[in-house]
Amino acid sequence: MTLSLGLRHGLSWAAQVDILKMMRTIFGSDGIPLSKNNFIKKLNAVQESDINYHVYCDVCNSYLGKRDKREKHCGVSKKVFVVGDCEVSELDKFKRQYIPRVYCDVYDGDVYKKVSAENGILSSPLNMSCNFFTGGVAYGKSTTVKTLWPIYLTINELPYEERQKYLILARVYAGAKDPSENWSLQPFVSEANKMSQNGFAWAYDGKPVVSLVIPLAFVADSVVRYQMLNGQTFHAKKEFLLDQVSYVPFLTDKPVRIRSKESHLLNVEESKKQQHHNDESLRHYRDNVVVDYMHAILRLVKKHMELINQPARKHFWLPSSAKSAMVDIISAVDLVISQIQSNTSVIRELRPLSDLVMWKASEWRSWLLIWYTLVCYGKATFLMLRKEVSHYHITYAMELFQNYICLFQKYFFDENMVYIAHLLTHISEGVFNFGPVWGHNSFLYESKNRRILALSESPYFLSYQIARKFVVFQSLPSLCNELGRSKKVMTFCDAVMNYKKLLKVSRSSDGNCVLLGTPVCHTLQENEFAVHLTQIIALPMNAYTTRKKGSLVKSMALTKKNDSFAFLEDGRCVQIVSIVKSPVINTVLLGVKYVKLSRKPLHQNDLYKFDTVK
């Protein structure tokens, strides 16, 4: 229970020990530990072999290997540091139906199919693949540690919802500056090579098996991408060449071939030859990693909005007059934003346009897909984010992206044709190779950075401190099974770990829905006797919420969140006015009114129509 509270609220070890002291004071039990070391020892959740501590020389950037208790020093700077084959082949890994030319997950991508083919490493049903991500997290300005760089892994063979739940922290770097790719990835690459060649042993269905694991896709933003590939920055060279007829951005005089493993190796050799060239502009060469939807598509939306909010571009807003100032236009938009109601599927509420600089990626996502009509761009992104993306969706989306880029250059001119605009032309390659963009983007990993920061207490041995805490909390489910002596304890830990509000719950007899909250008796009006019952409990607006098939619906409420709209199985749309439960037959009844939907597209021009929002 103490561990659960520590994870939920980011408590320090000292705070958790104080809770234990309080329990010992109340219950007088000598078995409750009173120190951090005894607490961790009692849990028996961390073994020294669970964590490897790697050090480098921050003078010469030399990698020094694993840390031990003896003193060791860097030979360059002299700085001193104190310090089997699987027999369960009948297992069907993917119980799913493949649809030709349709991409439903990473398994439909060309890269996964290639390594799953006969004699491929994933042709064995117990072998696995992972995507990995790294990026910098600002830690502090007044300490010796200023940045953290975690490496996260997700297992592709898990269902998408489970990938998010069982995310793996493979490494966390802590230092005064960003890590050098020459040494920072050495432990990770070495471990990845071992996993892909030797695998790990475990028991499946009582039989010993060995599973190999291979990295499949590297997800990162543009800055991290060039750092990890040991290349030049993404803005090392720019060209603004555009064929207005074919609407293909950055055309050169020769067709550009799609890069392959072989061509990449040739590029590496070429870059070696040119690294000391007198002309600095000729020292660079090519590289390629999957394009991240969060840092490409959504970041360009941010750039778009920053540009049209400049005073010189107020004519883009309608209606606007010669006398109107941009501040007045933004105030008018902010007024509309303040009146918008969204449902709980929209994670962040929209903030005023005047706070644009503070918007998060999830806000840009809502802005692009729901609230702000960029016809070509919004629809293309919507198509790429579908649960099932067909070959037609991909080619149509790329046509829309290219049209948007041409218009972007037309209205914002060459100097604003940033690198992320070019990345849009490579979105389709990522889908063809790795499946829909929602399966390989930074949202999943970036959201965990807040948890990493919460695990830190002080800058002293920060990486080891975070690693140890992370391993302890990862062990919590198994610890509950081993140490839990009471159903109440298990319920408490589950509630704390899963951030569930402790509300009064009532279930319907058929199990179709769960009612949350406290009911209120209500006297029915004459027109409410639609169901012939002698006694009924009716609930006022928003007193109950019901969860059915994973969806949350509420009765009407004058709040910022509005979950009162729903679609029936026959396609009709309704708004829920009241939620009623009968104590006689234990049935939940919904009082609704039908809503007429306009089938007219939200926006339409001569070439395209925006019909993804009704």
Side-chain angles (χ1 to χ4, degrees), residues 506-515 546-551 553 569 586-588:
S506 173
R507 291 183 180 273
S508 60
S509 57
D510 56 6
N512 278 337
C513 57
V514 176
L515 303 175
T546 175
R547 186 177 294 275
K548 180 178 180 180
K549 296 181 180 179
S551 299
V553 293
E569 291 182 353
N586 196 26
T587 299
V588 176

Side-chain angles (χ1 to χ4, degrees), residues 373-409:
T373 309
L374 285 171
V375 177
C376 293
Y377 203 39
K379 186 162 185 175
T381 305
F382 178 85
L383 292 173
M384 288 297 198
L385 286 171
R386 286 172 59 95
K387 189 176 182 180
E388 298 177 352
V389 185
S390 68
H391 194 277
Y392 166 76
H393 292 143
I394 299 172
T395 53
Y396 184 35
M398 290 314 299
E399 179 185 347
L400 293 170
F401 276 141
Q402 290 172 353
N403 273 272
Y404 170 77
I405 295 172
C406 290
L407 293 171
F408 189 95
Q409 185 176 19

Side-chain angles (χ1 to χ4, degrees), residues 218 220-237 256-261 263-271 283-291 419 422-423 426 429:
F218 171 43
D221 63 19
S222 299
V223 176
V224 176
R225 186 185 305 119
Y226 84 79
Q227 291 177 332
M228 292 298 105
L229 293 174
N230 198 15
Q232 285 200 336
T233 70
F234 56 88
H235 48 60
K237 186 177 181 181
V256 178
R257 290 184 177 180
I258 300 298
R259 300 181 186 97
S260 63
K261 179 181 178 181
S263 67
H264 176 71
L265 293 176
L266 292 175
N267 292 338
V268 171
E269 291 297 324
E270 192 67 27
S271 65
R283 294 177 188 171
H284 60 82
Y285 225 67
R286 307 179 183 94
D287 59 60
N288 188 34
V289 176
V290 63
V291 177
Y419 176 69
H422 167 72
L423 287 180
H426 293 284
E429 296 169 34

Side-chain angles (χ1 to χ4, degrees), residues 9 57 110 136 228 244 294 355 358-359 461 488 597:
H9 300 290
C57 176
D110 294 341
M228 292 298 105
Q244 295 288 357
M294 173 180 166
D355 294 338
M358 295 187 291
W359 281 22
F461 283 142
K488 290 182 178 180
L597 291 179

